[in-house]
Amino acid sequence: MTWGTELWDQFENLDKHTQWGIDFLERYAKFVKERLEIEQTYAKQLRNLVKKYCPKRSKDDEPRFSSCMSFYSILNELNDYAGQREVVAEEMGHNVYGELMRYSQDLKSERKHHLQEGRKAQQYLDQCWKHMDNSKKKFERECKEAEKSQISYDRLDNDINATKSEVEKAKSQLYLRTHSADESKNEYAAQLQNFNGEQWKHFNVAIPQIFKNLQDMDERRTVKLGETYRSFADVERRVVPIISKCLEGMVTAAKAVDQRKDSAIVVESFKSGFEPPGDFPFEDYSQNLSRTGSDNTISTPKNEGGVKPDPKHSISKAAKNKLWLFGKKPKAPSLEDFSHLPPEQRRKRLQARIDELSKELQKEVDQRDALNKMKDVYEKNPQMGDPQSLQPKISETMCNMEKLRSEIHKNESWLSEVEGKVSTRGDRRPSADVNHHTPHGRESPEGSYTDDPSKEHRSPPHQPDPRQAHQPDEFDDEFDDDDPLPVLGHCKALYSFDGQNEGTLLMKEDDVLYIIEEDKGDGWTRARTQSGEEGYVPTSYVEIAMEKNSKGS
């Protein structure tokens, strides 16, 4: 069934129907738009929820309990789920809503064109009908006039009193009217034939073709709706496997909760390493009292072996064990060597710090090797770059490596102390050794730096002359120390210095050295070469760049 043959006379109704079809398509597009807006809002709310319950944490605050890890895994899966909802919204907007709106515009243009063609055909048929109708009315008028002329002629022709001229005039008038009527008849017949032909073409060719085009357009609209319905479902179907994986991940995270593992982590986190407190000894204060030999007297328990307990030792040990056994442990200030922590916790924190410093040191070593390779390439191919431009970066990297090695050595000493190893410095704590190596010494109340003369000798008292360096009187005994001093910064030689005197350091102009002890007002700065040689150089001979926070290093 086609609209052109079955609905040849329903132009207005087809106009309304096609308009309704486009309105329905746009209504469905609006539905899809509101749906994707719901998806976008839902995804945004899910992401905000995940962000709220998964705040940023420092490395030390990372959760280790299986219940916490599972919860954060669920949050990650939920975040991925929110991402899939965003994918649904995006594909709905592009593949469904956008496609519908573009197709709606095309339908409107096509419908307008077909309806204009139909109206033009109708207007042309109406015009043909008017021409035919006018010719018909003209033919009718001419026939009536001819009839009147015929009656007038017959009346005069039968009248014996009428003159011959009057009869001839009436006859001539009859002839003219009859001729006009014949011409009008012929014209009317031609217009009628033409109208009938155009009307046949209109209802059998033009209108069926136009209505067929409208029918094809409406059917394509219906097909497009079906396709977008399917696309609407396919968008959801494509994300179902990924959403299923997210849900499976949540189930896996739930299965990963291990109460025994969490209990072990609690033990590992809070185990102090101390031994449980022993029994309190009985302290007998009645030994000096004289007793009668009564059988009812309660005898005082004696220590096995006849050894008298040490009250001070027992009490102090008991008091020590009781310090925070039944109450809240007093909060001690955080120290660099973690000595405020129990032994087990201190060992873990020091080991973690050593591992972190070792990673940083490896990064610096890799960077130094890369810079040295680049420098070699520049030296072999000067057109690629200036080798000297890399020297400041190499020096900075070397300085960082020295600082990291110093920090690692310091923490390893503390770790050895915790693990019960014998320190190479006797009874002194490694932290004290490091502090002893600190080049700026102790800070006096007035803000000047002073050192204990029994531990460190005085450096040359006078500012050296740039042309001839002053020979220091004597240098401290830290040269005999096995541990390297921490690097405080670096310096660049402005002049050459022969370093012939004992304790001084040879340097050439533009050499880069590491500063390990600042100038204390006597004009000398202690430095170290990249090869590890240490000594004093005139402060006025070098350009110094101190590292940040060098006082606290």
Side-chain angles (χ1 to χ4, degrees):
M1 297 177 65
T2 61
W3 292 3
T5 56
E6 304 293 335
L7 304 176
W8 60 271
D9 58 344
Q10 300 297 320
F11 183 85
E12 297 297 331
N13 287 330
L14 292 180
D15 183 3
K16 294 178 182 179
H17 172 75
T18 52
Q19 182 61 47
W20 171 86
I22 294 176
D23 292 342
F24 181 79
L25 184 140
E26 291 182 343
R27 184 183 179 190
Y28 173 64
K30 184 178 179 181
F31 160 77
V32 175
K33 182 180 179 182
E34 292 183 2
R35 168 65 192 279
L36 67 89
E37 288 175 351
I38 291 174
E39 291 289 349
Q40 290 172 344
T41 304
Y42 179 47
K44 182 178 180 181
Q45 290 177 347
L46 285 179
R47 289 196 182 276
N48 291 337
L49 182 66
V50 171
K51 185 177 180 181
K52 177 180 178 181
Y53 285 93
C54 189
K56 295 181 179 178
R57 304 176 301 276
S58 64
K59 189 174 182 180
D60 295 336
D61 296 334
E62 287 291 335
R64 295 185 298 161
F65 296 104
S66 62
S67 57
C68 293
M69 299 293 290
S70 296
F71 176 64
Y72 290 119
S73 297
I74 289 175
L75 289 179
N76 290 333
E77 296 294 346
L78 187 61
N79 192 58
D80 295 340
Y81 176 82
Q84 295 306 309
R85 303 321 307 177
E86 291 175 346
V87 171
V88 169
E90 182 179 355
E91 292 194 3
M92 279 187 180
H94 178 72
N95 298 337
V96 183
Y97 176 73
E99 182 66 21
L100 285 173
M101 295 308 297
R102 289 190 294 270
Y103 193 73
S104 174
Q105 296 299 321
D106 295 341
L107 284 181
K108 288 179 180 180
S109 300
E110 185 179 356
R111 173 180 175 274
K112 181 179 179 181
H113 172 73
H114 293 325
L115 293 180
Q116 285 179 347
E117 291 293 327
R119 291 188 178 95
K120 286 181 180 179
Q122 187 65 41
Q123 289 175 358
Y124 179 72
L125 183 63
D126 292 343
Q127 185 177 3
C128 292
W129 181 84
K130 287 181 180 179
H131 289 164
M132 184 273 297
D133 187 59
N134 290 334
S135 63
K136 176 183 177 182
K137 291 179 180 179
K138 182 179 179 182
F139 174 59
E140 183 181 5
R141 288 195 305 270
E142 293 296 334
C143 287
K144 289 181 179 180
E145 291 295 328
E147 289 178 358
K148 290 180 180 180
S149 298
Q150 181 68 41
I151 293 172
S152 177
Y153 171 74
D154 291 341
R155 182 176 58 80
L156 291 174
D157 187 42
N158 295 324
D159 189 1
I160 59 175
N161 295 324
T163 61
K164 185 177 180 180
S165 60
E166 291 177 346
V167 174
E168 290 295 331
K169 183 178 180 181
K171 184 178 179 180
S172 175
Q173 187 70 23
L174 175 61
Y175 175 78
L176 291 175
R177 293 296 181 183
T178 303
H179 182 70
S180 297
D182 292 338
E183 289 182 353
S184 298
K185 180 180 179 180
N186 293 333
E187 182 181 358
Y188 168 61
Q191 291 294 336
L192 180 61
Q193 184 179 3
N194 179 65
F195 173 75
N196 289 332
E198 293 298 332
Q199 181 176 253
W200 186 89
K201 291 180 182 179
H202 178 79
F203 289 109
N204 290 276
V205 179
I207 288 298
Q209 184 62 40
I210 293 172
F211 283 6
K212 182 178 182 300
N213 293 336
L214 287 174
Q215 182 180 0
D216 293 341
M217 180 196 73
D218 193 69
E219 289 177 353
R220 290 200 310 273
R221 175 192 64 82
T222 305
V223 171
K224 176 61 71 172
L225 281 173
E227 292 176 352
T228 53
Y229 293 161
R230 188 163 47 253
S231 299
F232 184 83
D234 288 341
V235 168
E236 288 278 357
R237 184 183 299 172
R238 280 193 292 270
V239 300
V240 165
I242 303 178
I243 291 177
S244 298
K245 290 183 179 180
C246 294
L247 298 177
E248 290 175 2
M250 294 181 185
V251 174
T252 303
K255 293 179 179 179
V257 176
D258 188 347
Q259 69 276 13
R260 297 187 180 276
K261 181 180 177 181
D262 288 358
S263 297
I265 292 175
V266 173
V267 173
E268 181 183 356
S269 300
F270 301 112
K271 182 179 180 181
S272 65
F274 294 132
E275 294 293 333
D279 295 338
F280 278 85
F282 178 79
E283 301 178 17
D284 189 2
Y285 299 100
S286 64
Q287 291 180 356
N288 296 329
L289 299 179
S290 60
R291 297 182 180 275
T292 60
S294 174
D295 295 336
N296 296 329
T297 304
I298 301 176
S299 61
T300 302
K302 296 181 180 180
N303 293 329
E304 295 181 2
V307 181
K308 184 177 180 180
D310 186 359
K312 292 184 179 180
H313 176 73
S314 301
I315 293 174
S316 61
K317 182 178 180 181
K320 180 179 179 181
N321 289 335
K322 192 179 176 182
L323 282 178
W324 39 273
L325 179 61
F326 303 105
K328 185 177 181 182
K329 180 180 177 181
K331 186 176 181 181
S334 298
L335 300 176
E336 183 184 7
D337 59 353
F338 301 116
S339 58
H340 61 288
L341 297 175
E344 186 70 17
Q345 302 302 318
R346 184 185 180 194
R347 182 188 65 79
K348 293 178 181 177
R349 296 291 290 274
L350 287 173
Q351 187 62 52
R353 181 189 286 175
I354 291 173
D355 295 341
E356 183 178 354
L357 290 173
S358 299
K359 291 179 181 179
E360 294 180 5
L361 177 60
Q362 185 60 42
K363 290 181 181 179
E364 295 293 336
V365 171
D366 295 341
Q367 185 176 1
R368 180 203 60 185
D369 295 342
L371 290 172
N372 286 331
K373 290 181 180 179
M374 187 180 297
K375 184 178 178 181
D376 293 341
V377 172
Y378 286 178
E379 289 176 350
K380 295 178 181 179
N381 302 283
Q383 68 275 10
M384 297 183 66
D386 183 12
Q388 296 300 323
S389 63
L390 301 176
Q391 189 59 41
K393 187 64 177 178
I394 295 176
S395 302
E396 181 182 355
T397 304
M398 296 290 291
C399 180
N400 293 337
M401 289 170 57
E402 289 291 334
K403 291 174 64 177
L404 289 171
R405 287 193 181 103
S406 177
E407 287 293 322
I408 291 174
H409 176 76
K410 180 170 60 176
N411 284 272
E412 286 177 345
S413 300
W414 290 333
L415 182 61
S416 299
E417 177 185 327
V418 175
E419 293 176 347
K421 295 180 181 179
V422 180
S423 177
T424 58
R425 300 184 179 275
D427 296 334
R428 292 185 303 167
R429 284 180 52 183
S431 59
D433 294 336
V434 175
N435 292 334
H436 177 65
H437 291 162
T438 304
H440 51 262
R442 298 182 304 275
E443 189 174 5
S444 64
E446 293 82 3
S448 61
Y449 297 103
T450 59
D451 288 318
D452 189 350
S454 65
K455 295 184 179 179
E456 182 174 336
H457 295 286
R458 182 170 53 86
S459 297
H462 301 292
Q463 179 74 19
D465 186 350
R467 293 168 296 178
Q468 182 178 0
H470 187 278
Q471 179 179 357
D473 296 334
E474 57 180 87
F475 297 94
D476 56 33
D477 56 356
E478 291 180 347
F479 283 83
D480 299 331
D481 205 328
D482 295 335
D483 298 333
L485 294 176
V487 176
L488 306 178
H490 61 276
C491 62
K492 180 180 180 182
L494 302 176
Y495 312 98
S496 298
F497 182 63
D498 53 13
Q500 295 179 356
N501 298 323
E502 182 181 359
T504 59
L505 191 64
L506 173 65
M507 67 178 183
K508 297 181 181 180
E509 186 177 352
D510 293 333
D511 282 354
V512 177
L513 308 175
Y514 304 118
I515 298 175
I516 57 177
E517 185 177 305
E518 295 181 84
D519 186 354
K520 300 177 181 177
D522 50 17
W524 294 91
T525 298
R526 189 171 178 182
R528 180 190 298 139
T529 64
Q530 296 186 9
S531 61
E533 185 180 358
E534 297 182 359
Y536 284 92
V537 296
T539 304
S540 58
Y541 275 45
V542 294
E543 180 182 3
I544 297 175
M546 300 299 294
E547 297 293 331
K548 295 181 179 179
N549 301 325
S550 61
K551 291 290 183 181
S553 63

